[in-house]
Amino acid sequence: AIGFLPSSLSQRLPSSQLIASQQQINLRNLTEVNAYIIQQLDTGAIVVDSEGQLLTGNSAAWKLLGASPADTKTLLRELAPRLDKNVKRWLRFRHANLDPAENSFTDSERGYEARFSTFGSEEDYGVLVTLEDTRQLRERAQQMKLASLGQLVAAVAHEIRNPLNAIQQSAQLLEESDEL
């Protein structure tokens, strides 16, 4: 039994190593796909540690903050002091039963709305800040208003045209007939 056990384990070791190697490749591929997807999002995403240092972010976040990926490891207060102040305030009060409005901050000067959520399994790892471009939202709302207005105008024109067509046809019939 003592001789059989090491022999059995040594036969299983290469297959276990092969499985572990394949899982490592799969994990690396999934990590690359996730990173690509995050970079392509229209919504900005940054991770800020409990000290206010930027850990990572996507291209939309850098654009909204007026920064570049080279600014990783920079303090948030240097790039966006008002956002930094709100992140720190949210960190202090996040365990209280906050109104959902307390979970966000709007910077109308830079044109974004930020939402905060904890990130990572450790208590003070940091904060995930998502940045929504409010200018794009306003443009979409304006486009929807204009589309609705166009539909309304078309419906009104149709409703006006129908009676006018009937009046025009009646006038033509009156012109053609001497008895009427």
Side-chain angles (χ1 to χ4, degrees):
I2 292 175
F4 176 74
L5 186 61
S7 170
S8 173
L9 290 175
S10 68
Q11 289 174 357
R12 290 184 187 176
L13 186 62
S15 66
S16 296
Q17 288 175 336
L18 181 65
I19 291 170
S21 173
Q22 185 62 42
Q23 287 180 341
Q24 186 177 16
I25 291 169
N26 288 343
L27 181 61
R28 194 175 318 121
N29 289 341
L30 282 173
T31 301
E32 287 178 21
V33 167
N34 286 340
Y36 177 78
I37 290 170
I38 289 170
Q39 286 301 322
Q40 300 305 313
L41 289 175
D42 289 337
T43 301
I46 58 172
V47 177
V48 181
D49 71 9
S50 59
E51 303 300 317
Q53 186 173 0
L54 289 170
L55 300 177
T56 187
N58 67 357
S59 56
W62 299 126
K63 182 179 173 186
L64 288 169
L65 291 174
S68 72
D71 291 325
T72 302
K73 304 296 183 196
T74 301
L75 291 174
L76 182 60
R77 73 173 175 255
E78 295 172 12
L79 294 175
R82 292 179 59 214
L83 178 59
D84 180 62
K85 179 180 172 184
N86 281 279
V87 167
K88 287 179 179 172
R89 183 182 60 80
W90 181 79
L91 279 170
R92 280 194 310 272
F93 299 110
R94 72 178 181 265
H95 296 298
N97 292 330
L98 295 177
D99 178 15
E102 298 292 323
N103 194 28
S104 64
F105 159 72
T106 302
D107 188 337
S108 54
E109 287 177 20
R110 292 195 178 187
Y112 63 79
E113 180 179 335
R115 287 185 203 85
F116 316 120
S117 58
T118 54
F119 183 80
S121 58
E122 296 298 318
E123 182 65 24
D124 57 345
Y125 176 76
V127 179
L128 172 65
V129 181
T130 55
L131 304 168
E132 186 73 36
D133 189 347
T134 55
R135 290 173 292 207
Q136 284 182 350
L137 292 175
R138 274 190 240 120
E139 287 174 12
R140 284 187 211 143
Q142 184 68 17
Q143 288 173 353
M144 290 173 60
K145 286 179 187 176
L146 290 174
S148 296
L149 183 62
Q151 290 175 345
L152 177 66
V153 168
V156 169
H158 177 74
E159 293 300 322
I160 291 173
R161 229 175 313 150
N162 280 347
L164 289 178
N165 284 337
I167 293 169
Q168 185 180 18
Q169 288 174 354
S170 297
Q172 286 175 350
L173 285 173
L174 287 171
E175 287 178 357
E176 291 175 4
S177 174
D178 293 333
E179 305 145 5
L180 298 173

